[in-house]
Amino acid sequence: MASPLRILVVTVVHDPEDARIRHRQLPALVEAGHEVAYAAPFTAFDRTPPEGVWGIDLPRARGRNRLKAVGAARTLLAGMSRSADVILLHDPDLLLSATLLPRRDATIIWDVHEDTASALHMRDWAPPGLRPVLSAGAVAAEQYAEFNYRLLLAEHGYRDRFTRIHPVVPNSVRVPEEEPAEPGDDRVVYLGKITRPRGGAELIELARRVPEVTVEIIGPAERDIEDELRAAADEGIIDWRGFMPNDQALGRLRGALAGVSLLHDEPNYTNSQPTKVIEYMSHGVPVITTPNWAPKELVERADSGAVVPFGDVDAAARVVRQWRADRDERVRLGRSGYDYAKGHLNWTVDAVDFVKAVEDAHMLDQAKRRRPRSTVNRVLGRGRGGAAGAR
C-alpha cells in the first residue's frame, strides 16, 4: 500500500454492532493503517462508535420507513464522495443513495451480504402483491451496481447472480487460539437475530420438548416472533438474553452442549452460510442445523454436528438428548468443528484478503479513470503529426 486510504463504511440497515462490519472489517482496515469513518444508526440502536474510527450517526432504515435514512445517506455520500478514497456500502438501500453522485472521486464498493431479491419475499413490511415488483427492482439494482461500482461477495454461492467475477470475502470468524472448552450437558445455545423464518418458534418448542436442558437465546428479536419469545421467557421455558455485545455473546458459547440454527427452507438461506454455525464450530460447540445447502454441506464436511429436517423439532430434540447422554460423541464433534474452523474459516487469514480486495478495487478504479485521458492524449498527438510519439 503506497499510502493510507480514507475509507467511509456505511450502513443504515444493520445494527452498528454487526459482527461482519464492526468486529471484523473495521478492525482489519484500521490495523492495516487506513483512516476509517463509520456511518451507522448508532442512536437508533443505542450503540456507540468503536474506538479508532470516526463515528457518524445516521437514521435507521426499517420496514416501510426507509426514505429518511436513504436521503440522509445520500447527503453524506454527496458530501464525502470527493474527500473519501473508498466508500464501502453494506445495504442494498444504499445503492439508491449512491446513484449518480455528482463529481464523485471515491471508489464505491458494495459488500453483498444476502440474496436481496429472495429476501424481499420474506419481509413482512412488503405487501405480498408488491414483492415480485420489489424483487425485480432489486435485481435491476444489482445489475446497475455491478457495472457502476466494485462488488465484494460474502458467499461463493452469490457468484451466479452476477455476470462478472467478483472477489469473495467469506463470513469467517476470529477463531480463538486457546483450546475450546469441552461441551457440557445442560445448555443449548442460539446466537443471532431471531425471526420466525430463522426458527424462532422451533426454538421455543425445542425448549418445551427437552426441559432437562436450558435453551439459551442470545440476540434481538424481530416483531414477528418477539411477543412469543417474551411470553416463553416469562414462563421460564427459554432463557432469552436479548442483545449482548459480541465478545460477551461469544463467551456464552463456551461449554454449551449444542449450538442450533433452525433456518426455514427459504431461497435467501439456500446459499448463505449462517455465521452462527461457524461461530459455534470455532468455539468447539456441536452444531444442529436444517438442510439449507450451505450449512448442511459445511457441517457434514467438517463432521461437526447433525442435520435435521426443516421444522422437525422432534428430530432436533432427539439429537440433543443423544449428545447429552454421549459425552464422547459431543466432545468429538466439537473438536472436529473447531479444528476445521481454525484451518478453513479463520478471519485472521481472510482479513488480509479483505483489505487487499478493498485496496485493489481502489487501485483498479483509479487506473480506469486515468485511462481515457491517456487515450485522448495519444489521439491528439497523432493528429499533430506524431508529436506525442516523438517525445
Side-chain angles (χ1 to χ4, degrees):
M1 181 184 68
S3 60
L5 298 176
R6 295 160 297 181
I7 301 174
L8 172 63
V9 180
V10 191
T11 179
V12 293
V13 173
H14 293 85
D15 187 320
E17 287 288 324
D18 178 88
R20 178 174 173 88
I21 306 172
R22 164 67 179 83
H23 295 281
R24 292 194 278 277
Q25 293 188 355
L26 290 181
L29 294 172
V30 172
E31 290 165 11
H34 297 299
E35 301 174 16
V36 182
Y38 183 25
F42 295 106
T43 299
F45 281 94
D46 193 23
R47 311 283 187 253
T48 56
E51 294 184 4
V53 306
W54 172 30
I56 303 171
D57 195 28
L58 288 174
R60 179 186 180 186
R62 183 179 189 183
R64 300 182 188 182
N65 300 317
R66 314 183 86 82
L67 289 181
K68 181 180 178 181
V70 169
R74 170 75 179 186
T75 300
L76 174 67
L77 297 185
M80 297 188 67
S81 62
R82 300 202 70 194
S83 58
D85 297 308
V86 174
I87 297 175
L88 179 57
L89 308 178
H90 282 275
D91 318 319
D93 304 64
L94 294 174
L95 298 179
L96 182 60
S97 301
T99 302
L100 299 176
L101 286 173
R103 304 178 68 187
R104 170 171 69 89
D105 290 332
T107 296
I108 293 181
I109 303 173
W110 177 31
D111 188 354
V112 184
H113 287 226
E114 65 178 358
D115 184 342
T116 309
S118 296
L120 282 167
H121 285 282
M122 301 165 55
R123 302 295 188 243
D124 58 0
W125 55 264
L130 282 180
R131 290 175 189 175
V133 176
L134 293 172
S135 293
V139 172
E142 288 186 349
Q143 293 172 346
Y144 176 86
E146 180 172 28
F147 286 93
N148 289 276
Y149 311 136
R150 301 283 172 177
L151 269 58
L152 295 179
L153 310 183
E155 305 284 350
H156 290 279
Y158 294 167
R159 283 176 163 168
D160 290 344
R161 289 158 49 194
F162 301 97
T163 58
R164 297 177 177 178
I165 297 175
H166 304 285
V168 177
V169 179
N171 270 323
S172 56
V173 303
R174 293 183 182 271
V175 180
E177 288 295 330
E178 65 272 14
E179 293 291 302
E182 181 179 299
D185 64 359
D186 62 352
R187 188 167 54 93
V188 170
V189 176
Y190 173 92
L191 180 60
K193 183 186 293 185
I194 310 105
T195 67
R196 190 169 294 279
R198 295 186 188 203
E202 286 84 351
L203 287 171
I204 297 171
E205 187 58 31
L206 177 63
R208 289 194 174 99
R209 304 283 177 91
V210 285
E212 65 271 28
V213 172
T214 297
V215 174
E216 183 176 327
I217 300 175
I218 304 168
E222 289 292 304
R223 289 172 295 183
D224 65 345
I225 197 68
E226 185 176 8
D227 290 344
E228 290 177 54
L229 282 171
R230 184 171 289 110
D234 290 344
E235 292 179 45
I237 296 170
I238 60 171
D239 180 5
W240 180 27
R241 294 175 175 259
F243 168 80
M244 295 179 69
N246 188 254
D247 56 345
Q248 294 180 30
L250 293 177
R252 295 299 305 169
L253 296 180
R254 187 175 178 84
L257 164 64
V260 292
S261 177
L262 304 178
L263 298 178
H264 289 187
D265 185 9
E266 298 283 354
N268 185 38
Y269 297 149
T270 300
N271 293 315
S272 295
Q273 189 63 261
T275 307
K276 62 178 63 63
V277 169
I278 304 175
E279 288 171 331
Y280 300 152
M281 291 168 55
S282 71
H283 286 78
V285 177
V287 178
I288 300 175
T289 181
T290 45
N292 284 296
W293 181 84
K296 177 179 183 293
E297 195 271 340
L298 173 60
V299 167
E300 292 179 344
R301 177 160 31 97
D303 190 20
S304 61
V307 180
V308 298
F310 294 111
D312 193 339
V313 180
D314 283 336
R318 284 195 298 272
V319 172
V320 170
R321 290 197 179 98
Q322 175 188 342
W323 290 350
R324 187 169 186 266
D326 191 340
R327 172 185 171 275
D328 290 344
E329 178 67 359
R330 66 176 186 263
V331 169
R332 183 189 71 79
L333 292 170
R335 183 71 210 195
S336 180
Y338 172 78
D339 290 341
Y340 188 91
K342 189 172 183 179
H344 301 278
L345 304 168
N346 201 335
W347 180 254
T348 303
V349 176
D350 292 333
V352 177
D353 294 334
F354 163 67
V355 172
K356 185 176 186 301
V358 171
E359 294 171 351
D360 287 352
H362 177 66
M363 180 184 66
L364 291 170
D365 209 34
Q366 293 299 101
K368 182 179 179 181
R369 293 184 184 197
R370 287 193 295 267
R371 196 175 303 129
R373 189 178 299 113
S374 300
T375 302
V376 170
N377 288 339
R378 286 197 299 271
V379 171
L380 290 175
R382 291 193 194 98
R384 291 169 183 162
R391 296 195 198 105

